[in-house]
Amino acid sequence: MLFGVEKFICKACNKPALVKFISFGKMPIANAFLTKETLEKGEFYYNLDVGFCEECKMVQLIEMPPYSKYIVPDDAGKTHYAFFSSTSKFMEKHFAEMAKEAEEKFLDENSQVLDIGSNDGILLKAFKNNKTLGIEPSDNVADVARTQGVETISKFFTEELAGKILAEKGNFKVIFSTNVLLSIIEIGSCMKGIERLLANKGVFITEDPYIPEILEKVSYDQIYDAHVWYFSLTSLSNLFERYGLEVFDAEKQWVHGGSMRVYACRKGDYPKTDRLKKYLQEEKEKDIDTIQPYLELSKKVEQSRIELKALLRKLKDEGKKIVGYAAASKGTIVQNYCDIGRETLEYISDSTPFKQGRFSPGKHIPIVSPEHFHEDNADYALLSAWNHAEEIMQKESEFLKRGGRFIVHYPTPRILEPESTNKPSNNPNSEDFPGVEIKKLNVIANGQGYLFEVVRNDDNLFSGKFGQTLVSELYPGTIKGLHKHSKQTDYTTCIKGNIKYVLVDDSQEPAKIKVLTIGEKNSILVKTPPGYWHGYMPLANEKATVLHLMDRTYNPKKPDTERKDAFAFGDVWTVRPS
């Protein structure tokens, strides 16, 4: 059957406008890790097909497996979920910052906070001055939350449950849903419940994987049974509108391989930000509201499978020992779609005790403890939790020191080198500017001189798009900027001398300003995405040579450049005594 011909009923808007654009074939439940006993009983499989609704623009699974297949009760009737959020220290920091932002922007001491899908209480435990309530249907992780003092209801969130909570607890000023809204099958009932529980001027904050990021990274492993929806701001705006809510702000996040934090309210409660308008315009330019980019994704996914299998086959032919790292849902999808079994991966290392001693869904690869991995002499590890690559590579420094390397499949299959995992969120120079990334350039010097790599096609910060390269020499006292682009991404480094590089985000008041030094004293490459004002000047009364790489060619008839006076945001240029 040709994709794009047969139409299904969209489960978001109930219109016969859902068009299939990709099929991964029969797939097991991604987190249904098997014991020795259950290996013989057989597994549940479903058709992992994905569609795009031409009416409401929502991307979704065509077959949505019931919750009972992946939130499974034990003999005592208690349900279990295989992932504990607090196992990641980076995520703890992320949620603590999220809580702080909500406190500063939306809460007072009498406000209540609700978290839908609260897991082990990782977000709510960060609130010290407000009453909180978690909704978590999995008993095992909810029990952990309760031990930390987080009141938690072990039920699925529905309009009916919202009514009971309203009667007992009243309204909530902020309602969170982090990496959860995409998992709620009856999303209409959920939205009705949220609208009922929101207090006056209340805010619903949701943070989920962002479909344009999946398209760009070809991170198809984020598509699996527990993720039934894949949101753009366009599709979320359409969804919220049907339930009396509207999106008023949004902010890109690095978590889960690229997410969007979305702020919604009752219509008219808060003004829509320029940042939101910019994101919506970007989606329009990328044709996110059409099926075309999704059909293109289908082709890229198939090519990724071919290349990953070829890379692994080559390494095995060379006699290399390959294992898996992290028994994550993402890994289940890659292993089964790419037909990677025990003939390729001898085992999978995972730090979650619940998973150790079990077997991976579909391919039945044994899961072992990190101690086994540390004592072994594997040459390569196929990394499932690639969105935590930096944290993992810091933790597994000994593996890297002895020559071990991690393999990832996105955006194309490749071997990660230790220096190629920079993430903006963990860099103190860029964490306040989503999308801005910084790469430390390694300078190699000897008696003949020195060299340093600037950009590699396997750098995480490099999008893969090349427009042109320029070299400019600046005389002392020259200020270049301020300017910004609506479409173009800039990559900038200073190859001779030093420059002060200024970034400005004026999407909200007051404008945020970040100042960096780039050059011989601090060899870094800065990626500046569209939407940020930026400029630079030489330091120390010396000339500076600057290397620019852009992802678009310059068109003098349609210049993608907006300019401001260099002092539009005050004197950010004068070097002041410390």
Side-chain angles (χ1 to χ4, degrees), residues 1-29:
M1 183 186 73
L2 292 174
F3 293 157
V5 176
E6 184 180 2
K7 293 191 177 181
F8 303 85
I9 299 295
C10 171
K11 296 177 181 66
C13 68
N14 206 34
K15 300 287 180 61
L18 185 62
V19 181
K20 179 163 68 173
F21 63 84
I22 194 169
S23 176
F24 295 94
K26 293 287 185 181
M27 192 67 63
I29 296 299

Side-chain angles (χ1 to χ4, degrees), residues 82-124:
F83 180 71
F84 293 78
S85 298
S86 293
T87 56
S88 170
K89 297 303 178 186
F90 281 9
M91 290 305 294
E92 279 199 321
K93 180 176 183 290
H94 174 75
F95 283 122
E97 292 171 349
M98 192 176 190
K100 182 180 178 183
E101 181 204 40
E103 286 179 334
E104 293 175 348
K105 287 186 175 181
F106 306 115
L107 298 175
D108 57 43
E109 60 183 12
N110 298 316
S111 301
Q112 294 192 107
V113 179
L114 179 73
D115 187 14
I116 301 170
S118 50
N119 200 269
D120 56 11
I122 187 171
L123 171 61
L124 292 182

